[in-house]
Amino acid sequence: MPTNPDVLIVGAGPAGLAAAITLKRLGHAVTVVDREPELGGVPRLCDHPGFGILDLQRALSGPAYARHYVRAAERAGVDLRPAVTVTHWAGPTRLAYTSPAGLGELEAPVVLLATGCRERPRAARLVPGYRPQGVFTTGSLQRFVFEQHLPVGRRAVVVGAEIVSLSAIMTLAHAKITVARMVTEHARHQVYLPYLPMKWYLMDLTRRIPISPRTRVSRLLGLKRLKGVELANIDTGATEVVDCDAVIFTGDWIPEHDLARSAGLALDAGTLGPAADAAYRTSAPGVFAAGNLLHGAETAEVSALEGRQAGRSIAAYLRAGARGWPEGRLPIQVAAPVEWVYPNHLTAVDARLPFGHFKFRSLAFTRHARLAVTQGDRVLHTQTYGELRPNASQPLSAGWLAQVDLSGPPLRLAPAA
């Protein structure tokens, strides 16, 4: 196994593994570490269909999708190290770790952070009540059902109505648990179903589940075991109690940015992940970031495609050396209803934009939205959307980039005046 790789990747999910495979095929020595004892990231816990259409052009289950990338990395000769937890930075691109074999350090000219994101649990959402059994996020639910094969309950409430909420519903269906209600603080669900086979399957699965819009969980009921949830209408304040012995908090993502923060990387105010440019470069020379660490949360396939692009960008940087790292970075700021935009920084040596355009998300449903990109008093671009919806990424044209003054004031994406 190489002790001095060209690239050290933290995170063996779709983004990290796809980047490693790309880099190895381009002739670079790569080491991938992950704190989990089994590699493959979140998809290995999602034992339902819906993975692989965009990047692999075939439909797979989550575990099969994870196995594909792990085996491809093994065949490529990537140095894979599971059960390795990075504890801190020992230098600009040197990381200290702990593992079953003991403590150690790894160093490489380039570090790629691909640590993903997580859902905010009940405590972070400030939901009052005791701490009874039966309270989950989608991730912990899938661990209980698919990894540990433990009982969850008989009747559940799902908090959230986006695409990951459907993953929770499919997991509950696998465990033969009734879904009593879906709850969302938005005006309606935010589900988009791009794949027709999944669309019909999920329509049949969810058609009997009532959805409560503009509603939040105001209290958990039960001392040792969950007995129900109190729901409050955001507009009227009216409350009702739904009997259940499990509640699943879905979505509401936050990047796993502990390593990024401890490295002193600049964080983007919208995504809460590392501020990064179109080539996945962060604010620290030699440190890249990719996947859902940059923007929780896109699908596994989008993360894998970003990993491939990050791998090519890293290879270009290794060829160019220090001159391949930009000296100045121009931030792109946002204003409501825009939640975040990616890339969120521009540099003079940017590669082509990922997927050929910017992408952004909205905080709320907004009809007939007209957004403008401005720099100081100059309007560089306007674009109109029939509807923006939360938890779904939208494209923003990049045709205005030639007008940007990289030495000028920050850019801004906001509603047009």
Side-chain angles (χ1 to χ4, degrees):
M1 292 190 294
T3 55
N4 295 298
D6 299 324
V7 184
L8 172 60
I9 298 176
V10 184
L17 291 175
I21 294 164
T22 299
L23 283 160
K24 191 65 179 178
R25 289 172 178 170
L26 292 173
H28 297 286
V30 185
T31 293
V32 179
V33 300
D34 195 286
R35 66 189 178 191
E36 294 287 334
E38 185 176 345
L39 305 178
V42 171
R44 66 186 180 82
L45 301 174
C46 303
D47 199 1
H48 56 71
F51 294 82
I53 299 293
L54 291 179
D55 55 339
L56 305 179
Q57 286 74 56
R58 61 184 186 271
L60 298 172
S61 70
Y65 181 83
R67 285 194 298 272
H68 167 87
Y69 274 101
V70 173
R71 289 171 181 170
E74 291 172 341
R75 289 194 299 270
V78 175
D79 174 24
L80 299 172
R81 304 192 187 188
V84 172
T85 300
V86 174
T87 56
H88 62 275
W89 295 81
T93 56
R94 186 177 183 86
L95 292 168
Y97 67 86
T98 181
S99 74
L103 303 178
E105 293 184 354
L106 284 167
E107 186 172 21
V110 172
V111 172
L112 171 63
L113 300 179
T115 49
C117 64
R118 65 180 185 273
E119 295 164 298
R120 284 186 174 87
R122 164 270 181 105
R125 304 184 197 214
L126 304 179
V127 177
Y130 292 101
R131 300 179 64 184
Q133 295 180 359
V135 181
F136 302 89
T137 62
T138 308
S140 62
L141 170 73
Q142 289 167 337
R143 283 190 183 277
F144 262 64
V145 173
F146 295 128
E147 187 176 57
Q148 304 296 331
H149 307 290
L150 295 172
V152 172
R154 296 182 178 181
R155 181 177 165 89
V157 168
V158 174
V159 182
E162 56 167 294
I163 194 165
V164 73
S165 310
L166 295 184
S167 182
I169 288 173
M170 286 188 281
T171 302
L172 292 167
H174 175 87
K176 297 180 171 55
I177 299 168
T178 300
V179 180
R181 191 78 60 91
M182 290 182 76
V183 178
T184 177
E185 296 186 3
H186 295 288
R188 59 185 186 276
H189 73 76
Q190 308 97 60
V191 175
Y192 62 99
L193 299 172
Y195 314 137
L196 192 59
M198 286 296 294
K199 179 176 182 178
W200 294 117
Y201 169 71
L202 289 168
M203 283 177 62
D204 181 66
L205 187 64
T206 60
R207 61 189 172 90
R208 289 184 293 270
I209 299 174
I211 298 178
S212 295
R214 298 291 296 160
T215 299
R216 62 181 179 86
V217 176
S218 52
R219 188 157 56 103
L220 301 183
L221 307 176
L223 182 58
K224 293 184 178 180
R225 177 77 201 185
L226 186 72
K227 295 182 178 180
V229 294
E230 180 187 79
L231 305 180
N233 184 280
I234 294 172
D235 300 317
T236 68
T239 62
E240 66 169 314
V241 171
V242 177
D243 295 331
C244 62
D245 56 4
V247 58
I248 320 301
F249 289 94
T250 71
D252 197 4
W253 304 100
I254 184 168
E256 289 277 12
H257 55 201
D258 291 346
L259 271 180
R261 293 183 63 184
S262 63
L265 301 184
L267 301 182
D268 179 70
T271 64
L272 302 181
D277 66 9
Y280 302 93
R281 292 176 291 240
T282 70
S283 59
V287 180
F288 290 72
N292 281 333
L293 171 63
L294 294 175
H295 44 60
E298 299 284 1
T299 64
E301 299 151 295
V302 172
S303 294
L305 291 172
E306 288 191 0
R308 293 181 192 176
Q309 294 170 334
R312 290 191 286 268
S313 293
I314 291 169
Y317 169 67
L318 289 170
R319 290 193 301 269
R323 70 179 185 277
W325 203 266
E327 294 184 2
R329 294 160 56 86
L330 184 68
I332 307 175
Q333 302 168 347
V334 300
V338 181
E339 181 180 15
W340 54 255
V341 64
Y342 181 79
N344 44 52
H345 278 70
L346 296 181
T347 62
V349 290
D350 271 345
R352 290 183 300 172
L353 282 175
F355 310 106
H357 56 254
F358 293 85
K359 61 183 174 183
F360 70 93
R361 286 201 177 180
S362 173
L363 291 162
F365 285 100
T366 307
R367 293 183 61 82
H368 307 301
R370 186 166 175 264
L371 301 181
V373 179
T374 59
Q375 186 175 31
D377 296 331
R378 293 191 303 136
V379 178
L380 308 185
H381 174 72
T382 60
Q383 194 162 333
T384 302
Y385 299 84
E387 182 180 59
L388 302 178
R389 62 185 174 202
N391 298 312
S393 296
Q394 299 279 353
L396 175 70
S397 170
W400 47 271
L401 283 175
Q403 304 176 55
V404 174
D405 178 4
L406 289 171
S407 62
L411 297 163
R412 182 175 174 84
L413 175 61

